[in-house]
Amino acid sequence: MHATRLRSLQALGIFCGFAAGAWLGGAETPIKIVNPDISPITVSLIMVCGVFLARWSLPAFIRGTSHVRSDVRQAPHLVVWAVLAGCMWAVANTLTIYAIRNVGLSIAFPLWNTNSLLGIFWGFLLFNELRLAGWKRWLGVLGGAVAMFAGATLLAMASSHQAAPGKATLGIAAALGAGLLWGTMYIPYRKAYLTGMNPLSFITFFTVGELATMVALAVGYRGASPLWKELVSARPVLFWLMLGGFVWVIGDLFQQYATKYVGISRGIPLSNTNQLWGLLWGVLVFHELQGGSRTVYTQVAGGSLLMACGAVAIALSSATEREHSSWRNAAEREGNRYGVEAEYVRAGMQGESFGNASSARSLLDRLLILGTTALFLALATMARLPRMEISLGWAVVLAAAMLALLSTCAIALWRTTRFR
Amino acid sequence: MSPSNTDAPRNLFRAIATDLHFWIPLCVLLGGLFLLDKLR
């Protein structure tokens, strides 16, 4: 790969990592406005329904589903990997709801964000990431991830007074379990992108796994009839939860592109800046930490600064040509094992198009886009704003910042890779 | 001699089943389900 192309793809991947952080952080906020009487499993199921709609309608909107069919013909084995990763996501997401309920968002976030350290481990061990990278890159990535973890711990300490007594152990176990699941879920991600699959294709099968798992969990744990009654009674919040799922998918899509172009060892820690965004939403919009002591505010400031420094260190440690050659070796290994065409793998790694799949929108694409839009509009008419003190001004400011990141990153992705 | 097309699904299954990368996430997934069962 030409050095200039490599540099622009690395910069793009890092930008996607930061955009992912903003959108993943924003996606957790709808959970806060939901009536605590609704079971976590039901909350998760409703969110996953929103996720499912987003994971089919967004690819239909951006590139059309004909590209999905083309990708599956090239690498059919990745359907299995995508479904497996989707199952893991659904279980992890349900665990996070238990974690948030038991220890609060501020503690749960840093605990499940340990997934970035696990991501670095799997990236190095299984996919040749950081091989031949030199000590400066190692220091940047590992040091950055450790700084982010330390920052996250400080933030957790700052808000630890919010934990409900007696429930802390359950909440911590749930958050750590989610971190383990998400950290390991990046194995299928990396496998797919080393082989050349487009993130927009991967997520359409990924979501089959997550929806099937969530439905099975919800019906198995709640029973079909009580579940249905709970879904009917949750009508006023269906919109907010499904919107949370939709927002999550946008963040996850950026995370997938980050994983594709900078690997899991860098992409995951960068997208874990979602904790800073979660903190901003919590403090500015939901008035968390109000009336805290000076120590609490010092911990919050120090933790945030550490996380930001860690993210910058990782962003400045992009892969060199030598390290990228190690990635190509891993990609060649995957291609040989699963009999994937070498040109497809090469084109995928370089963010270039392969084959001649039509970009025109089919009837299925139009139905997906229109159906999803109509459903969200219908749910919005039933939605009620929660009776809680929310700073709408700050909510608008944060939403505008997220939209600005979305548009600039989408334009960069289009110009550099045409969403490859 | 190249394998026939009817062997493709079997070969694909064998490639996945003998790939360590498949078993690591699967074991973690089962562990997560176990934890969820304990938490509910």
Side-chain angles (χ1 to χ4, degrees), chain B residues 16-34:
Chain B
I16 292 172
T18 55
D19 192 343
L20 177 68
H21 298 183
F22 176 73
W23 294 103
I24 298 169
L26 189 66
C27 291
V28 172
L29 172 64
L30 294 175
L33 285 168
F34 177 76

Side-chain angles (χ1 to χ4, degrees), chain A residues 77 80-81 84 87-88 91 95 98 122 126-127 170 173-174 177 181 184 187 191 217 221 333-334 337-338, chain B residues 11-12 14-26 28-33 35-40:
Chain A
H77 69 285
V80 176
W81 290 100
L84 175 63
C87 297
M88 299 178 83
V91 176
L95 286 172
Y98 279 103
W122 291 131
L126 305 177
F127 302 111
L170 285 178
L181 276 155
T184 310
I187 295 176
K191 220 164 167 66
L217 284 175
Y221 286 10
R333 178 196 67 201
E334 293 298 313
R337 170 178 274 274
Y338 292 101
Chain B
N11 290 341
L12 193 65
R14 192 179 299 139
I16 292 172
T18 55
D19 192 343
L20 177 68
H21 298 183
F22 176 73
W23 294 103
I24 298 169
L26 189 66
V28 172
L29 172 64
L30 294 175
L33 285 168
L35 177 62
L36 202 55
D37 190 52
K38 293 282 168 204
L39 283 168
R40 75 185 172 117

Side-chain angles (χ1 to χ4, degrees), chain A residues 114-135:
Chain A
T114 49
N115 65 3
S116 61
L117 296 171
L118 195 59
I120 293 173
F121 174 72
W122 291 131
F124 172 75
L125 188 72
L126 305 177
F127 302 111
N128 295 357
E129 288 185 19
L130 291 166
R131 301 272 167 95
L132 307 174
W135 68 271

